[in-house]
Amino acid sequence: MTDINSIQVARRGSTTAVQTLNSPWEVSGKLRVAYGKIAASAQTIAQNDRVYLFDLPPNAAPLLLRTKYGAFGASVTLDVGYGAADASTENAFESALDISAAGSTFGFCDDASVVSTTATTAVYAQFEGANPADDKDLEVWLFYAVE
């Protein structure tokens, strides 16, 4: 049987003149949470509207996403992500979540390629599929590691 080192252990044990250091969240990160809420009837929301939820700080590594939502109506789905509305990252954390009936979800962020942010990053929720009902709440928690 062979023992094999992870990339992080190999970096730490490097004997080269210039060691490659691990990111703080890879070895000693702190778990943090960002929270955003859309209050019932606070504003009219239409299909394809985006709601600015919160910012992630630089060097945040998104891990888990929790959502809680009212019944927004038939065919309404939700994306949670960052970047431009038409970017491939608009649904990096949640993609096409069915929010037609009231409920909640908790799980890993959808996009495994999201390793860490390099700057402050705005996180958005986008309503798709149909016009959502205006008298419902949406709450989003994004758990992330940071040092």
Side-chain angles (χ1 to χ4, degrees), residues 59 104 123:
N59 301 314
S104 64
V123 175

Side-chain angles (χ1 to χ4, degrees), residues 9 16 23 43 55 57 64 75 79 87 94 105 111 130 135 139:
V9 169
T16 60
S23 298
Q43 55 196 331
D55 287 323
L64 302 166
S75 302
D79 287 348
E94 185 67 70
T105 62
D111 190 349
D135 59 347
E139 295 178 87

Side-chain angles (χ1 to χ4, degrees), residues 19-67:
Q19 281 189 332
T20 304
L21 300 178
N22 291 317
S23 298
W25 60 266
E26 289 182 311
V27 293
S28 63
K30 297 172 186 154
L31 185 63
R32 299 284 189 242
V33 64
Y35 172 77
K37 180 177 181 177
I38 302 166
S41 68
Q43 55 196 331
T44 301
I45 300 171
Q47 180 180 355
N48 297 322
D49 280 357
R50 289 188 341 144
V51 177
Y52 181 12
L53 294 170
F54 45 75
D55 287 323
L56 288 180
N59 301 314
L63 305 170
L64 302 166
L65 183 78
R66 180 177 193 270
T67 57

Side-chain angles (χ1 to χ4, degrees), residues 1-144:
M1 181 170 81
T2 304
D3 288 339
I4 300 171
N5 291 335
S6 69
I7 294 169
Q8 290 73 21
V9 169
R11 284 182 191 156
R12 188 181 64 220
S14 175
T15 57
T16 60
V18 179
Q19 281 189 332
T20 304
L21 300 178
N22 291 317
S23 298
W25 60 266
E26 289 182 311
V27 293
S28 63
K30 297 172 186 154
L31 185 63
R32 299 284 189 242
V33 64
Y35 172 77
K37 180 177 181 177
I38 302 166
S41 68
Q43 55 196 331
T44 301
I45 300 171
Q47 180 180 355
N48 297 322
D49 280 357
R50 289 188 341 144
V51 177
Y52 181 12
L53 294 170
F54 45 75
D55 287 323
L56 288 180
N59 301 314
L63 305 170
L64 302 166
L65 183 78
R66 180 177 193 270
T67 57
K68 182 179 176 186
Y69 44 89
F72 278 93
S75 302
V76 179
T77 61
L78 182 76
D79 287 348
V80 180
Y82 61 95
D86 58 351
S88 62
T89 57
E90 74 173 9
N91 58 1
F93 307 130
E94 185 67 70
S95 179
L97 173 65
D98 181 358
I99 57 172
S100 58
S104 64
T105 62
F106 184 76
F108 291 103
C109 294
D110 275 357
D111 190 349
S113 68
V114 177
V115 176
S116 72
T117 60
T118 56
T120 299
T121 303
V123 175
Y124 297 91
Q126 182 166 340
F127 293 84
E128 297 181 342
N131 284 323
D134 293 326
D135 59 347
K136 307 301 178 205
D137 287 347
L138 170 69
E139 295 178 87
V140 176
W141 295 261
L142 183 60
F143 296 84
Y144 61 93

